[in-house]
PDB file of all heavy atoms in Angstrom:
ATOM      1  N   ARG A 160      68.569  22.154 112.771  1.00 97.00           N
ATOM      2  CA  ARG A 160      68.574  22.321 114.201  1.00 97.00           C
ATOM      3  C   ARG A 160      67.185  22.789 114.671  1.00 97.00           C
ATOM      4  O   ARG A 160      66.471  23.446 113.927  1.00 97.00           O
ATOM      5  CB  ARG A 160      69.622  23.344 114.643  1.00 97.00           C
ATOM      6  CG  ARG A 160      71.058  22.818 114.592  1.00 97.00           C
ATOM      7  CD  ARG A 160      72.056  23.841 115.078  1.00 97.00           C
ATOM      8  NE  ARG A 160      72.123  24.984 114.186  1.00 97.00           N
ATOM      9  CZ  ARG A 160      71.510  26.125 114.367  1.00 97.00           C
ATOM     10  NH1 ARG A 160      70.777  26.339 115.456  1.00 97.00           N
ATOM     11  NH2 ARG A 160      71.598  27.091 113.490  1.00 97.00           N
ATOM     12  N   TYR A 288      69.394  14.513 112.808  1.00 96.00           N
ATOM     13  CA  TYR A 288      70.015  15.561 111.989  1.00 96.00           C
ATOM     14  C   TYR A 288      71.304  16.123 112.641  1.00 96.00           C
ATOM     15  O   TYR A 288      71.293  16.430 113.848  1.00 96.00           O
ATOM     16  CB  TYR A 288      69.034  16.729 111.716  1.00 96.00           C
ATOM     17  CG  TYR A 288      69.792  17.936 111.200  1.00 96.00           C
ATOM     18  CD1 TYR A 288      70.233  17.964 109.865  1.00 96.00           C
ATOM     19  CD2 TYR A 288      70.170  18.972 112.038  1.00 96.00           C
ATOM     20  CE1 TYR A 288      71.008  19.008 109.420  1.00 96.00           C
ATOM     21  CE2 TYR A 288      70.935  20.032 111.581  1.00 96.00           C
ATOM     22  CZ  TYR A 288      71.358  20.043 110.267  1.00 96.00           C
ATOM     23  OH  TYR A 288      72.145  21.065 109.819  1.00 96.00           O
ATOM     24  N   GLY A 290      73.371  18.907 113.506  1.00 96.00           N
ATOM     25  CA  GLY A 290      73.595  19.761 114.665  1.00 96.00           C
ATOM     26  C   GLY A 290      72.898  19.292 115.939  1.00 96.00           C
ATOM     27  O   GLY A 290      73.299  19.651 117.038  1.00 96.00           O
ATOM     28  N   LYS A 296      79.864  18.792 118.136  1.00 98.00           N
ATOM     29  CA  LYS A 296      79.842  20.046 117.387  1.00 98.00           C
ATOM     30  C   LYS A 296      79.199  21.161 118.201  1.00 98.00           C
ATOM     31  O   LYS A 296      79.800  21.744 119.094  1.00 98.00           O
ATOM     32  CB  LYS A 296      79.165  19.794 116.043  1.00 98.00           C
ATOM     33  CG  LYS A 296      79.400  20.873 115.016  1.00 98.00           C
ATOM     34  CD  LYS A 296      78.858  20.464 113.652  1.00 98.00           C
ATOM     35  CE  LYS A 296      78.965  21.544 112.601  1.00 98.00           C
ATOM     36  NZ  LYS A 296      80.302  22.069 112.357  1.00 98.00           N
ATOM     37  N   LYS A 297      77.961  21.519 117.902  1.00 98.00           N
ATOM     38  CA  LYS A 297      77.346  22.666 118.553  1.00 98.00           C
ATOM     39  C   LYS A 297      77.126  22.414 120.045  1.00 98.00           C
ATOM     40  O   LYS A 297      77.314  23.305 120.875  1.00 98.00           O
ATOM     41  CB  LYS A 297      76.033  23.048 117.865  1.00 98.00           C
ATOM     42  CG  LYS A 297      76.227  23.534 116.407  1.00 98.00           C
ATOM     43  CD  LYS A 297      77.176  24.656 116.338  1.00 98.00           C
ATOM     44  CE  LYS A 297      77.598  25.241 115.026  1.00 98.00           C
ATOM     45  NZ  LYS A 297      76.952  25.118 113.791  1.00 98.00           N
ATOM     46  N   HIS A 317      81.407  30.714 117.446  1.00 98.00           N
ATOM     47  CA  HIS A 317      80.881  30.231 116.156  1.00 98.00           C
ATOM     48  C   HIS A 317      81.628  30.969 115.046  1.00 98.00           C
ATOM     49  O   HIS A 317      81.078  31.847 114.372  1.00 98.00           O
ATOM     50  CB  HIS A 317      79.377  30.526 116.088  1.00 98.00           C
ATOM     51  CG  HIS A 317      78.641  29.822 114.993  1.00 98.00           C
ATOM     52  ND1 HIS A 317      77.419  30.247 114.541  1.00 98.00           N
ATOM     53  CD2 HIS A 317      78.944  28.719 114.263  1.00 98.00           C
ATOM     54  CE1 HIS A 317      77.000  29.431 113.569  1.00 98.00           C
ATOM     55  NE2 HIS A 317      77.908  28.505 113.383  1.00 98.00           N
ATOM     56  N   SER A 339      74.513  30.947 111.185  1.00 96.00           N
ATOM     57  CA  SER A 339      74.414  29.752 110.360  1.00 96.00           C
ATOM     58  C   SER A 339      73.989  30.086 108.935  1.00 96.00           C
ATOM     59  O   SER A 339      73.089  30.886 108.715  1.00 96.00           O
ATOM     60  CB  SER A 339      73.404  28.792 110.987  1.00 96.00           C
ATOM     61  OG  SER A 339      73.800  28.489 112.304  1.00 96.00           O
ATOM     62  N   ASP A 368      83.826  26.680 111.092  1.00 98.00           N
ATOM     63  CA  ASP A 368      82.579  26.818 111.868  1.00 98.00           C
ATOM     64  C   ASP A 368      82.799  27.183 113.336  1.00 98.00           C
ATOM     65  O   ASP A 368      82.010  27.929 113.895  1.00 98.00           O
ATOM     66  CB  ASP A 368      81.787  25.510 111.783  1.00 98.00           C
ATOM     67  CG  ASP A 368      80.323  25.670 112.203  1.00 98.00           C
ATOM     68  OD1 ASP A 368      79.683  26.641 111.776  1.00 98.00           O
ATOM     69  OD2 ASP A 368      79.832  24.825 112.973  1.00 98.00           O
ATOM     70  N   PHE A 390      81.030  20.276 108.068  1.00 98.00           N
ATOM     71  CA  PHE A 390      79.626  19.867 107.879  1.00 98.00           C
ATOM     72  C   PHE A 390      78.999  21.058 107.145  1.00 98.00           C
ATOM     73  O   PHE A 390      78.395  21.923 107.757  1.00 98.00           O
ATOM     74  CB  PHE A 390      78.982  19.591 109.228  1.00 98.00           C
ATOM     75  CG  PHE A 390      77.576  19.077 109.163  1.00 98.00           C
ATOM     76  CD1 PHE A 390      77.268  17.903 108.491  1.00 98.00           C
ATOM     77  CD2 PHE A 390      76.541  19.751 109.779  1.00 98.00           C
ATOM     78  CE1 PHE A 390      75.966  17.431 108.441  1.00 98.00           C
ATOM     79  CE2 PHE A 390      75.226  19.287 109.724  1.00 98.00           C
ATOM     80  CZ  PHE A 390      74.945  18.124 109.051  1.00 98.00           C
ATOM     81  N   ARG A 460      73.532  18.935 103.403  1.00 98.00           N
ATOM     82  CA  ARG A 460      74.929  19.170 103.813  1.00 98.00           C
ATOM     83  C   ARG A 460      75.860  18.069 103.322  1.00 98.00           C
ATOM     84  O   ARG A 460      75.439  16.976 102.980  1.00 98.00           O
ATOM     85  CB  ARG A 460      75.010  19.252 105.331  1.00 98.00           C
ATOM     86  CG  ARG A 460      74.146  20.387 105.907  1.00 98.00           C
ATOM     87  CD  ARG A 460      74.839  21.206 106.921  1.00 98.00           C
ATOM     88  NE  ARG A 460      74.087  22.385 107.264  1.00 98.00           N
ATOM     89  CZ  ARG A 460      74.655  23.517 107.692  1.00 98.00           C
ATOM     90  NH1 ARG A 460      75.975  23.604 107.818  1.00 98.00           N
ATOM     91  NH2 ARG A 460      73.940  24.574 107.994  1.00 98.00           N
TER      92      ARG A 460
HETATM   93  C1  SPV B1057      74.865  25.573 111.842  1.00 81.22           C
HETATM   94  O1  SPV B1057      73.622  25.426 111.816  1.00 81.22           O
HETATM   95  O2  SPV B1057      75.395  26.631 112.268  1.00 81.22           O
HETATM   96  C2  SPV B1057      75.750  24.502 111.358  1.00 81.22           C
HETATM   97  C3  SPV B1057      75.159  23.213 111.047  1.00 81.22           C
HETATM   98  O3  SPV B1057      76.943  24.691 111.269  1.00 81.22           O
HETATM   99  S1  SPV B1057      74.757  22.304 112.484  1.00 81.22           S
HETATM  100  O4  SPV B1057      75.828  21.356 112.736  1.00 81.22           O
HETATM  101  O5  SPV B1057      73.514  21.635 112.211  1.00 81.22           O
HETATM  102  O6  SPV B1057      74.648  23.198 113.606  1.00 81.22           O
END
Side-chain angles (χ1 to χ4, degrees):
R160 285 182 294 99
Y288 165 77
K296 196 172 175 57
K297 295 305 176 19
H317 194 199
S339 302
D368 197 45
F390 184 59
R460 300 226 170 208

